[in-house]
Amino acid sequence: MDQPSNSAWLARSQAAVWHPCTQMQHHAQNGSPAHLPLVPIARGQGAWLYDFDGKRYLDGISSWWTNLFGHANPRINTALRDQLETLEHVMLAGFTHQPVVELSERLSALTGGALGHAFYASDGASATEIALKMSFHYWRNVGRPEKAGFLCLAGSYHGETVGALAVTDVAIFKDAYAPLVRAAAHVLPSPDFRLAEAGESPADVARRAAAALEAHLEAHGERIAALIVEPLVQGAAGMAMYDPEYLRLARALCDRHEVHLICDEIAVGCGRTGSFFAHEQAAIRPDLMCLSKGISGGYLPLSIVLCSDTIYAAFLDDSVARAFLHSHSYTGNPLACRAALATLDIFQSDDVLAANRVKSAKIGAALAPLADHPQVRHLRQRGMIAAFDVATEDPHFSRRFYRAALEREALIRPIGNTVYLMPPYIVSDDEIAHLATAIHGALDAAS
Ligand SMILES: *Cc1c(COP(=O)(O)O)cnc(C)c1O
């Protein structure tokens, strides 16, 4: 039997599927500079994706930052097959099961026991909603209902549901829905080290941003429930990186003003920045932490909010109204939890953090020649994230580059004028070289 080709799937997808984060018309505008190709994927293997016409693409952005150990990973597949034969799902209200218990225990252990309870949902935006609601409700339960405001950083991204948009500062995702979004969040200066003024180090920029946080807390701390940050790298802002000094100072300021620190590790957790959690590089712990994306190895929708015992304890009472009544139908799904356990097993058995240190150095070396490119600015890297900005006036740069990369067998999807690599951790030396070649070629083709 003939396999359907790419073109059959393209037409059917455009007729029936509304794709995320996409102006659908751009898929139809073949030949225009705005054209965004739609690529039907037949299967994945390791770091590679294969279409129906036999073309392949190296997944340079881990399928939106989710995939850690490759597509169709044999170890995760085996764990999921086993789980599928045992228990596919059971509601988590009133019931529990082995994968959710073991995952909660292991995540708590990974925080040194600082975050002792795990609350489950399915996607990152829900984890943000849960963390905000938990913080707010905590303060109400301890008799401080006036602590209802939130702080976030310029360029922050914490998801796109209406509640999460309140602490997201990316205009393109937020502005259209402004009337729906709660005005309770205040946006503070980002410690992004690209904002350095003459003579300033990244740590200086961090201290300057922390001074703004301090001033805000001194004036308004009484009414603030939590500060939410993406530790070390603000992903959707265009891989804005900053010095751990900001997290150290923010932790101390939050303590002084009785404000929760929420670390959104949805993108930067699970080894992406070099440590298992990014906040570890500042030697701090948050009060609440959001995980998603890589935690299930990129297999299944899973998000988790870990909280301190102090927060957990404030909800214990005879009264149901003081309980955290949030829920989603698939909360704690056993298959998703089992994928996460298999992911954690790989971290342990393969000493992934050590292997990534070697890989990230190789990625850095492969991209280093770009520093001399006349249009490249701020070549930067933190662990398994490497990025640079491109000086161009072309409004279609990102799509032009994306198309040029696909032609070079690479999935690299710039954010605006920022080109970045965030490959699966199983990427080989040859594959790193392939990505670097694709970037050099796409840059010349697109600029
Ligand atoms: C992707 C992301 C989210 C949202 O997760 P979804 O699963 O897409 O809802 C939230 N915060 C950060 C830092 C992210 O990168």
Side-chain angles (χ1 to χ4, degrees):
M1 205 180 76
D2 269 357
Q3 278 287 330
S5 67
N6 274 0
S7 55
W9 291 116
L10 284 178
R12 284 170 64 184
S13 197
Q14 269 164 246
V17 182
W18 196 336
H19 292 271
C21 201
T22 300
Q23 169 49 266
M24 288 298 289
Q25 187 164 306
H26 289 157
H27 280 325
Q29 289 170 325
N30 215 335
S32 119
H35 179 234
L36 183 71
L38 184 61
V39 187
I41 293 301
R43 64 188 181 88
Q45 186 67 56
W48 293 91
L49 297 163
Y50 297 85
D51 73 11
F52 289 85
D53 292 344
K55 282 183 70 184
R56 58 176 200 162
Y57 309 93
L58 187 48
D59 191 350
I61 61 165
S62 298
S63 285
W64 257 356
W65 322 349
T66 59
N67 190 291
L68 302 189
F69 299 117
H71 299 276
N73 181 287
R75 283 185 276 180
I76 303 177
N77 285 5
T78 301
L80 281 177
R81 273 193 207 100
D82 176 68
Q83 188 60 44
L84 207 47
E85 296 300 331
T86 315
L87 177 66
E88 81 300 333
H89 186 64
V90 62
M91 60 193 280
L92 199 64
F95 294 88
T96 195
H97 52 80
Q98 184 175 351
V100 81
V101 172
E102 288 182 1
L103 182 57
S104 306
E105 289 172 350
R106 284 175 71 173
L107 289 173
S108 170
L110 282 167
T111 70
L115 305 179
H117 276 81
F119 195 98
Y120 288 81
S122 310
D123 51 50
S126 304
T128 297
E129 304 265 348
I130 288 163
L132 298 180
K133 283 174 70 178
M134 254 182 202
S135 173
F136 168 84
H137 200 164
Y138 167 88
W139 292 116
R140 210 181 62 180
N141 279 352
V142 300
R144 313 269 309 265
E146 73 285 358
K147 287 177 87 67
F150 295 102
L151 301 176
C152 61
L153 298 179
S156 60
Y157 179 92
H158 300 289
E160 292 173 56
T161 52
V162 172
L165 275 179
V167 289
T168 285
D169 181 48
V170 179
I172 195 167
F173 298 134
K174 184 169 186 173
D175 285 1
Y177 310 103
L180 301 183
V181 176
R182 196 162 165 266
H186 180 81
V187 179
L188 290 164
S190 165
D192 178 356
F193 62 50
R194 292 174 299 178
L195 302 172
E197 287 162 13
E200 267 187 329
S201 69
D204 292 333
V205 182
R207 282 187 278 272
R208 186 152 53 81
L213 168 63
E214 180 169 22
H216 190 86
L217 287 176
E218 268 165 19
H220 308 287
E222 296 280 293
R223 309 191 76 80
I224 302 296
L227 163 70
I228 183 166
V229 297
E230 296 157 84
L232 302 185
V233 184
Q234 296 182 282
M239 301 302 155
M241 300 184 184
Y242 63 87
D243 193 278
E245 179 72 359
Y246 184 79
L247 296 173
R248 276 190 288 275
L249 293 170
R251 176 70 273 180
L253 289 166
C254 285
D255 285 342
R256 191 187 318 153
H257 293 275
E258 296 184 293
V259 164
H260 291 141
L261 177 62
I262 304 172
C263 283
D264 175 351
E265 298 244 6
I266 290 167
V268 295
C270 303
R272 191 46 82 173
T273 68
S275 43
F276 191 79
F277 299 122
H279 70 254
E280 291 166 29
Q281 293 179 47
I284 59 143
R285 293 290 181 200
D287 302 290
L288 292 151
M289 172 163 60
C290 304
L291 294 173
S292 190
K293 293 202 166 111
I295 188 64
S296 70
Y299 265 68
L300 286 159
L302 176 68
S303 66
I304 303 156
V305 177
L306 294 163
C307 76
S308 69
D309 293 339
T310 309
I311 291 177
Y312 177 75
F315 288 80
L316 299 175
D317 195 84
D318 282 338
S319 153
V320 172
R322 288 172 65 104
F324 193 61
L325 296 186
H326 191 99
S327 67
H328 297 285
S329 308
Y330 283 99
T331 289
N333 175 260
L335 285 164
C337 290
R338 190 65 187 272
L341 287 168
T343 300
L344 295 181
D345 285 343
I346 296 175
F347 269 100
Q348 234 166 13
S349 62
D350 293 8
D351 200 353
V352 170
L353 295 180
N356 280 1
R357 276 194 282 282
V358 177
K359 273 185 195 160
S360 82
K362 285 179 174 159
I363 292 169
L367 297 188
L370 285 165
D372 298 327
H373 191 285
Q375 281 171 287
V376 170
R377 307 279 184 275
H378 299 295
L379 182 61
R380 57 194 181 275
Q381 187 179 11
R382 170 96 51 194
M384 294 295 280
I385 308 175
F388 59 88
D389 307 329
V390 178
T392 171
E393 301 296 316
D394 180 0
H396 301 300
F397 168 79
S398 68
R399 267 165 272 153
R400 228 188 265 281
F401 184 99
Y402 177 66
R403 291 194 304 262
L406 286 176
E407 283 163 17
R408 289 161 180 78
E409 297 189 322
L411 162 47
I412 304 167
R413 192 178 150 117
I415 300 171
N417 292 349
T418 300
V419 176
Y420 71 93
L421 282 183
M422 202 154 158
Y425 303 161
I426 45 102
V427 70
S428 69
D429 292 359
D430 284 349
E431 288 163 349
I432 290 169
H434 177 97
L435 288 170
T437 306
I439 285 183
H440 285 275
L443 193 54
D444 288 338
S447 57

